[in-house]
Amino acid sequence: MSNTPGVTPEIPQLDPMRVQVRKHAMLNAIEEEPRRRWWRIAVPASVLAAAVVATTVLWTPTNPSAYASWTAEPRAPGPGADSVVEKCRKLIAESPTADMPDWPETPTDLTIVDQRGDLTMVLFTGPESEQSCLGSPKGIEMAGGGGSPNGRPPLGSARFRMGSLGTSDPDPGQGEPRRTLVAEVGAEVAKARVSTDDGKQVTATVDNGWMVAWWPTKAKAISVTLYNSAGEVIGTESAEIK
């Protein structure tokens, strides 16, 4: 940086939307201190994303993993799924993005219930955005969603389109890491499986034109393999956000 007298260095301009998202996230972090969880969400450059603060509890050697029952294959939803859905809707209503101008309306229409052990992942979708939420033995955890105020274009004849890829990376003692992948799929897709860079093969839950898969590590998703109702592979897609 130049120190030449009389020369004022140019001050970079910040994007107003990013400033507002950060402001809301910081204010909620202050209110929730020290029980906070940050979410990093990857979405296409034309799509908005938000950081959402959710209540968590401390993980200690005497307080075992909330994800202990996680399985790579989902199962039928348990009897407590309806309760998780309603708690997630309540948490969405209280999210810091609810009163932000130009932000897509946060959806509350249920699209998928993904059950793994005693862990219930809920996906809500709408014409402008999507939102995921997880119920575990330790409570409700919500990720920031993706969306566009201009709406989502039709999938058309495509079989697959990435929606969002979220990473939970909490501070030590404040929770556990995980990744969540959300995507749209065509009508011929009956099953989808995510390959990760640590060797996992995670079968997604597919319903209502969407898929959701998550795993309790920070391992990156490499690809998504698509299957038809006969169990035949009909395509392999990149898990990268474009």
Side-chain angles (χ1 to χ4, degrees), residues 19-182:
V19 171
Q20 195 163 18
V21 170
R22 183 61 176 160
K23 180 184 70 175
H24 279 262
M26 290 180 68
L27 287 175
N28 278 271
I30 293 171
E31 292 173 0
E32 293 286 340
E33 196 77 41
R35 299 175 295 121
R36 68 176 184 272
R37 177 181 293 260
W38 290 99
W39 282 88
R40 300 173 183 172
I41 303 297
V43 293
S46 61
V47 175
L48 303 174
V52 178
V53 179
T55 300
T56 63
V57 296
L58 295 179
W59 271 251
T60 68
T62 58
N63 194 5
S65 170
Y67 304 156
S69 68
W70 180 88
T71 59
E73 294 285 335
R75 65 174 181 83
D82 289 344
S83 175
V84 173
V85 171
E86 292 310 310
K87 289 177 180 178
C88 285
R89 284 195 174 113
K90 181 179 179 181
L91 191 57
I92 287 173
E94 297 170 350
S95 71
T97 62
D99 60 350
M100 292 178 63
D102 302 322
W103 183 261
E105 182 179 354
T106 305
T108 55
D109 290 337
L110 180 63
T111 301
I112 291 178
V113 175
D114 174 276
Q115 189 79 40
R116 299 173 191 271
D118 56 8
L119 305 162
T120 308
M121 172 73 76
V122 177
L123 177 67
F124 302 104
T125 64
E128 297 179 337
S129 59
E130 69 267 0
Q131 188 82 45
S132 60
C133 179
L134 177 68
S136 78
K138 296 182 183 294
I140 301 295
E141 308 170 21
M142 190 171 76
S148 170
N150 298 321
R152 186 182 294 106
L155 189 60
S157 61
R159 289 175 173 157
F160 179 86
R161 180 167 61 199
M162 281 291 291
S164 59
L165 185 60
T167 303
S168 169
D169 189 12
D171 294 334
Q174 296 295 320
E176 300 170 89
R178 81 167 183 271
R179 281 189 186 261
T180 304
L181 186 151
V182 177

